[in-house]
Amino acid sequence: MSEISKAYEPQSVEDKWYQFWLDGKFFVADAQSAKPAYSIVIPPPNVTGVLTLGHVLNNTIQDILARKARMDGKEVLWLPGTDHAGIATQTVVERALKKEGKIKHRDDLGREKFLEEVWKWKNEKGGIIIQQLKKLGASCDWTRERFTMDPEYSRCVQRVFVDLYKKGLIYRGKRMVNWCPASLTALSDEEVVMKEQKGFLYYFKVEVAEIPGTFLTIATTRPETIPGDTAVAVNPKDPRYAHLIGKHVVRPLPVELPREQKLIPIIGDEHVDFEFGTGVLKVTPAHDKADFEIGARHKLATVEVIAANGQMNDAAGADLRGLDRFKARKVAVEKLTELGALEKEEPYTNNVGFSERADVPIEPRLSEQWFLKYPSVEKSRAVVAKGEMKFHPDRWAKVYDHWMGSLQDWCVSRQLWWGHRIPVWYSEGWKKLSQKIVFVRLTGHELAGRNVKELREAAFTFAKSHGILGQSFLNLDSHQNITVHKASLEHAFSNFGVANVKLVPGLPDLLRHAVKVASEPHLPPSESVISVETYFSALQVGDQIFRVKFRVKVFPDNFRLYDHQAVMLWREKENEPDGNKSPEAQFPKEQTSRPASGSTLLLRDLVQDVNSDPAFTRSQIEPPAENWVQDPDVLDTWFSSWLWPFATMGWPEQADTLKKFYPTTDLVTGPDIIFFWVARMIMAGYEYMGALPFQNVYFTGIIRDKQGRKMSKSLGNSPDPLDLIAKFGADALRFGVMRAAPLGQDILFDEQNVELGRNFCNKLWNACRFRQMQGGEVQGEIEPTLLSSDDKWILLKLDAAIREVTIALNEYKFSDATAALYRFFWGEYCDWYVEATKAVFFGTDEKRKANTLAVIDFVLSHTVRMFHPFLPFITEELWHGMGYATDMPDNQGGKTIMFAPWPMPLDEDFKGHYGLDDCYLEIAGAKYELVSQGRNLRREANISTGKKIKYVLKPVNFLPPHDVEVIRLLLNAETVEVNENFQPPKGTLTARTELGELYLPLEGLRTPEELAAEKARVANELDKIEAEIAKVEQKLANPKFMEKVPPAVLQEHSQRLAEWLAKRDHAKAALGALS
RNA sequence: GCGCGGUUAGCUCAGUGGUAGAGCAUUUGCUUCACACGCAAGGGGUCGCAGGUUCAAACCCUGCACCGCGCACCA
């Protein structure tokens, strides 16, 4: 530290050292290293993102862990990167292009051109956050920076998709999905947040067609969907309405339609709650999940009235057509009013699902999407439940477990351009199927039904009546035993398609008697599935015969699950592609089957659905041949993020990095993405690496402002971390955030925290400056015989601090660690030790001065290292400036504090050699307590701090002269007279301490008022003492207490009583001395 | 509705059965030769409420209230 400025100036230090670290390649992880590995992957921030306080919190923790691990001698990989963030990025770029006037809509450019623009934007403006992380001091291995759209990474994503497809875990289906009318894409359930919305419940009446003059009143929050209503439902048990079931009502909208086209049936459905509203429910199968189910049960038509963009379509009628859905709501109410149908409207609050990103209400919408049935679920669930993977704080394990226990299939397709395009190809040449379907026949047994409900009932009846449940059946062709579990039936019924429902109950029968079975080589097994066998069968639908391909999964205990099958509908009599009748020949080696459709489709919809798509479907990365077109959708961004821990390490080719650093040690992330990311990474880790992706997960709190509100742009309450760094320094920001971030709690952010960090850095700086001002080289050897009680005290305190901080870090208690460091350094080292050393430095004993410097150097060199993970910049500056680097080997702190060893607690040999007995904590502690008391006396006497005064000490035991000198200095006294026979004159203030009585003779200097005030104060204190004595005495007087209390506690109570009694005596004496 | 957290000084929070704590804020006094981004000394709490267990409860149990979060939801 050649130039010593009075205050620490981070700006002149931080960039210099960061560049130094980069130049030295200190962040680069060596996969060949012999050191034990420590690894952590960054939660990839959005490539469009800018640094927020949330990132600061998160990445500071990771940096602390990484830097600490380096100091522990580990080979550290902190792997950084960014996420392509499909919706967010596409929106940002789209908005930017619109602003520049380049486009009005993304369609103006077309997919290719638009993607070019996105890449351009990404390369020019993306990744700002990476530069910002550097400002924060993040010690990431930037040579390994990854982006989820990197070619290698994209290939991993595609590979995984194809693999899951082949395992039968990915399927396509037409389902009700969460549709975002702003982003024009489907969303997963996790991307929908429920929000309370204030609105109205509208009551309108409809006439029963068969009984003129009879009206039903319906309550709804969505009158704009009336044109899409295809029934009115009541509970069949509701006495008010049951008799009306089967009759019809006249739907009021659209106004212009003739009455006969607006007749919709009154149906009975148990789903209807007759407590709610009027007990009459309008059913809009196209725009409500529950209504869709009702529609499926009652074979209702599905009339879509809201288009993908949230505007009403033609079917909504002339009045609503083209209007936004919310505007349409108002107009619909007006129309109802005009018709005289509106009875009333009352304010109503309900929960509405919002798109998390676009912050608009989502629209349930029937559409064709890709779904994933999660892999490796049981293992992933068990590893956390059993505590093999630890969550910190562990209450998140319960949340995780709950979610894992009720997994819904993941909608992975997005109708966007920016992202990984789904690696599925469709061939042309599909011939349309006839839509005439009368019944379904499974050879030998009929399971007839026109919709799922009927089929399901038939299937259950069939399974029951044939005693199939729990039975084993021998397949005569393959000689395999097939057992039907109840679970497999339920599973199939609840999760899979119509075809599955048809097949499962009949399957053993098919295998036994009728089906012409072929087998295929099994597909790549996962750990929980030994093999997947493929069979073909025939299915007759009306006059057509279809080939059906289905799959049987074989589990380790020989349990067989018919949980996925691909249905291939084929017209038997014509269109045989090559005339080859063998079923195998119909299905090329690659996956060509088309998975079953959604569970709630009508059969005719299934056929329609199949017709609407190309026949041949293959999932593979490269196009199979010419004339094959790729699925236009891209994958959910999280479908790439969930591979992050291993895809970033070069999976599957580069084995060395993976071998060294996978599984990673820690993951640091926010609890808000526990389902989005953490849970999915665990499942992917098991599925593809056969091992958990990380050993520990640390969940940070969420940063809020000091009023407890979430940080948000619109509130303007999110300070820019870069501004804070510029104003206070990166170390200050890190320290401030860490101090305010207890494990598992939300963090209420206040700039004062950062200010405190800045002040702390300044304190550290000045403490070192003080050391430098005493001169001399770095002192190595400490001479045990020259150690004062102060020296021993601070060494013991250092020892305690090392232990405390190390334990806190091991337990991920960062705020405890910073609090311990703060307390030790400021409250113990600076406040007491440094002040005490002035007695040495202001004196003339040169040997003692040198020895004190040695102690200071010992303490500071340890302290600076302990601070390094928290305050990387200032500690590096001090490490070099103070000369502590010079004595160290190059790879252990000689070059950089980054590799200096983490301080070890002082061992017994060390303590023995230097005479560091715990009694010195008491001895020096008593001394400092005496000083506090003495200062208190001065204050009571109203004597200003600067004024030199005289104290008298009547010691209990001998006190070394050096200690008396320390006391004198700390009291800022002219003299401290040691006098065993001191008789205090009247008006002398006294304090009782462990070391003896301390007096502040005032020699009549005080006014009567001052004396009176003093007397009042002592009297007050006496009262408190009496109260304490009474409390303890009462306890001791209780016979039950004396009988049952453990001896140690009794001892403690008696001792406490004795202390209070002595204090009382002293206070009484003091009172006497004052009067 | 179900579940999980929380309720301790003005604020933010520690505190796993035996004397209620820290930081900030506040009051007062100090430009004391490392630091005013500082030093020193104070004031300030029925530990959410009500029961129970115990010699002893902020702490364990039960119930309630309020706040926050998650999940599931009735139009």
Side-chain angles (χ1 to χ4, degrees), chain A residues 917-963:
Chain A
D917 191 284
D918 279 353
C919 72
Y920 287 100
L921 291 173
E922 309 277 330
I923 294 169
K927 195 163 66 182
Y928 304 145
E929 174 58 25
L930 184 149
V931 170
S932 282
Q933 297 260 20
R935 287 165 174 168
N936 192 357
L937 294 183
R938 173 197 287 266
R939 163 103 172 117
E940 280 160 23
N942 232 341
I943 302 168
S944 76
T945 327
K947 195 169 178 188
K948 298 281 181 192
I949 48 173
K950 181 181 164 187
Y951 288 88
V952 179
L953 176 62
K954 193 186 203 175
V956 190
N957 292 310
F958 170 76
L959 213 54
H962 176 72
D963 285 332

Side-chain angles (χ1 to χ4, degrees), chain A residues 622-881:
Chain A
E622 305 301 333
E626 274 184 46
N627 295 332
W628 286 70
V629 292
Q630 190 172 8
D631 195 295
D633 290 352
V634 299
L635 288 161
D636 182 2
T637 303
W638 297 104
F639 194 90
S640 60
S641 315
W642 75 324
L643 313 176
W644 189 248
F646 53 90
T648 50
M649 292 192 194
W651 179 83
E653 286 89 7
Q654 295 163 34
D656 54 347
T657 300
L658 277 174
K659 198 175 163 195
K660 180 77 186 171
F661 295 111
Y662 189 97
T664 64
T665 318
D666 295 321
L667 177 79
V668 179
T669 189
D672 48 335
I673 53 174
I674 183 167
F675 309 137
F676 278 114
W677 196 47
V678 180
R680 287 165 178 169
M681 276 195 290
I682 296 171
M683 292 187 271
Y686 269 118
E687 189 68 10
Y688 290 99
M689 297 300 295
L692 41 80
F694 23 74
Q695 286 147 14
N696 297 285
V697 185
Y698 177 93
F699 289 104
T700 64
I702 291 170
I703 298 243
R704 298 168 179 281
D705 70 6
K706 58 181 166 183
Q707 280 116 47
R709 300 174 304 180
K710 272 191 182 173
M711 294 282 178
S712 81
K713 276 181 195 163
S714 53
L715 279 175
N717 61 349
S718 46
D720 182 348
L722 274 275
D723 291 346
L724 293 169
I725 288 175
K727 194 166 163 195
F728 298 109
D731 288 335
L733 177 60
R734 294 165 60 115
F735 198 78
V737 168
M738 282 301 100
R739 238 185 87 91
L743 177 61
Q745 302 266 358
D746 285 357
I747 295 104
L748 272 64
F749 182 82
D750 188 335
E751 193 170 298
Q752 275 186 346
N753 295 329
V754 189
E755 208 173 312
L756 181 118
R758 189 260 323 252
N759 295 352
F760 188 80
C761 289
N762 191 54
K763 189 75 175 176
L764 181 60
W765 181 258
N766 273 292
C768 289
R769 206 174 134 223
F770 173 78
R771 158 65 186 88
Q772 293 303 76
M773 289 169 82
Q774 306 316 317
E777 294 296 303
V778 175
Q779 303 292 315
E781 285 302 302
I782 298 171
E783 170 52 46
T785 58
L786 289 174
L787 290 176
S788 67
S789 60
D790 303 301
D791 296 327
K792 292 179 178 175
W793 180 84
I794 197 61
L795 288 169
L796 286 164
K797 287 292 185 186
L798 172 69
D799 177 52
I802 292 171
R803 289 170 200 275
E804 209 174 325
V805 173
T806 306
I807 289 171
L809 282 179
N810 288 342
E811 293 173 353
Y812 303 90
K813 292 179 175 169
F814 302 99
S815 64
D816 287 9
T818 47
L821 281 167
Y822 188 95
R823 189 213 60 228
F824 165 71
F825 190 70
W826 198 312
E828 291 165 356
Y829 178 78
C830 291
D831 285 352
W832 292 108
Y833 184 69
V834 170
E835 294 307 317
T837 62
K838 289 177 182 174
V840 176
F841 294 126
F842 296 171
T844 52
D845 186 339
E846 294 305 320
K847 276 189 183 167
R848 191 151 215 175
K849 277 187 196 177
N851 204 52
T852 304
L853 286 178
V855 173
I856 289 180
D857 283 331
F858 183 87
V859 173
L860 281 181
S861 66
H862 279 69
T863 307
V864 167
R865 276 182 280 158
M866 276 198 285
F867 276 118
H868 174 69
F870 300 89
L871 312 169
F873 296 108
I874 189 174
T875 50
E876 186 77 275
E877 174 77 9
L878 291 171
W879 187 248
H880 293 269

Side-chain angles (χ1 to χ4, degrees), chain A residues 84-88 90 106 111 114-115 149 157-158 161 172 183-187 191 368-371 410-424 426 630-640:
Chain A
H84 68 279
I87 299 177
Q90 177 157 330
R106 71 184 196 224
R111 186 173 190 134
F114 182 80
L115 284 177
M149 292 277 281
V157 174
Q158 292 165 328
F161 184 97
R172 198 179 190 208
S183 314
L184 298 176
T185 178
L187 299 175
E191 287 162 289
E368 181 103 40
Q369 302 289 343
W370 289 95
F371 295 90
W410 175 12
C411 176
V412 294
S413 47
R414 296 289 178 276
Q415 288 64 51
L416 303 172
W417 287 344
W418 177 240
H420 303 98
R421 198 157 166 184
I422 290 178
V424 168
Y426 306 109
Q630 190 172 8
D631 195 295
D633 290 352
V634 299
L635 288 161
D636 182 2
T637 303
W638 297 104
F639 194 90
S640 60

Side-chain angles (χ1 to χ4, degrees), chain A residues 297-591:
Chain A
R297 285 197 284 272
H298 298 271
K299 297 162 270 177
L300 300 175
T302 302
V303 178
E304 202 167 82
V305 293
I306 305 175
N309 63 1
Q311 288 177 4
M312 308 307 291
N313 66 13
D314 290 351
D319 295 317
L320 303 182
R321 175 187 304 150
L323 296 179
D324 177 80
R325 53 198 164 135
F326 302 109
K327 173 79 177 149
R329 183 171 304 170
K330 289 190 185 123
V331 175
V333 172
E334 283 166 22
K335 291 294 149 197
L336 290 175
T337 311
E338 282 170 25
L339 293 168
L342 190 74
E343 291 197 330
K344 60 172 174 177
E345 55 181 73
E346 53 189 38
Y348 184 69
T349 304
N350 65 341
N351 281 328
V352 177
F354 272 65
S355 157
E356 196 197 30
R357 284 259 161 236
D359 200 34
V360 297
I362 59 112
E363 198 61 54
R365 187 160 183 262
L366 191 62
S367 71
E368 181 103 40
Q369 302 289 343
W370 289 95
F371 295 90
L372 168 67
K373 195 172 147 47
Y374 288 102
S376 296
V377 176
E378 287 313 313
K379 258 188 185 167
S380 303
R381 192 176 177 189
V383 72
V384 175
K386 286 191 289 190
E388 287 163 19
M389 179 192 287
K390 291 203 172 55
F391 281 12
H392 308 270
D394 67 354
R395 66 191 156 88
W396 292 110
K398 282 184 197 162
V399 177
Y400 171 84
D401 194 65
H402 181 256
W403 191 74
M404 290 296 284
S406 55
L407 282 180
Q408 302 292 311
D409 292 354
W410 175 12
C411 176
V412 294
S413 47
R414 296 289 178 276
Q415 288 64 51
L416 303 172
W417 287 344
W418 177 240
H420 303 98
R421 198 157 166 184
I422 290 178
V424 168
W425 306 82
Y426 306 109
S427 83
E428 293 170 352
W430 169 251
K431 303 289 179 193
K432 296 273 175 181
L433 275 172
S434 156
Q435 294 183 22
K436 286 181 216 156
I437 291 180
V438 185
F439 64 92
V440 176
R441 175 183 295 147
L442 294 176
T443 32
H445 298 277
E446 283 187 1
L447 296 182
R450 281 168 298 177
N451 62 39
V452 172
K453 195 183 175 194
E454 289 177 19
L455 276 167
R456 209 176 271 186
E457 278 163 10
F460 263 117
T461 310
F462 178 87
K464 233 177 166 178
S465 64
H466 286 72
I468 287 173
L469 273 188
Q471 295 294 312
S472 291
F473 295 88
L474 182 66
N475 178 339
L476 296 178
D477 287 327
S478 65
H479 299 285
Q480 283 172 320
N481 262 314
I482 310 284
T483 307
V484 178
H485 291 250
K486 184 162 179 280
S488 75
L489 283 172
E490 284 171 353
H491 180 80
F493 290 163
S494 56
N495 291 325
F496 289 88
V498 166
N500 201 9
V501 173
K502 283 179 291 189
L503 282 171
V504 168
L507 185 57
D509 205 52
L510 284 172
L511 289 172
R512 212 152 34 128
H513 298 300
V515 78
K516 185 177 178 187
V517 180
S519 62
E520 275 189 342
H522 68 77
L523 294 161
S526 76
E527 276 201 58
S528 53
V529 181
I530 290 177
S531 62
V532 183
E533 294 162 354
T534 310
Y535 297 87
F536 295 102
S537 182
L539 175 67
Q540 186 175 350
V541 179
D543 57 350
Q544 296 168 342
I545 297 180
F546 298 92
R547 291 191 194 285
V548 178
K549 180 181 177 186
F550 60 92
R551 289 189 166 160
V552 181
K553 283 193 176 175
V554 184
F555 290 81
D557 60 352
N558 209 30
F559 174 72
R560 275 148 209 274
L561 187 63
Y562 317 104
D563 69 349
H564 174 83
Q565 82 293 311
V567 181
M568 188 72 175
L569 299 177
W570 208 265
R571 203 187 282 244
E572 182 70 23
K573 291 173 186 160
E574 50 187 87
N575 300 325
E576 290 283 355
D578 54 12
N580 187 337
K581 301 270 181 189
S582 90
E584 288 89 341
Q586 309 286 340
F587 301 95
K589 276 260 163 68
E590 284 81 8
Q591 183 76 22

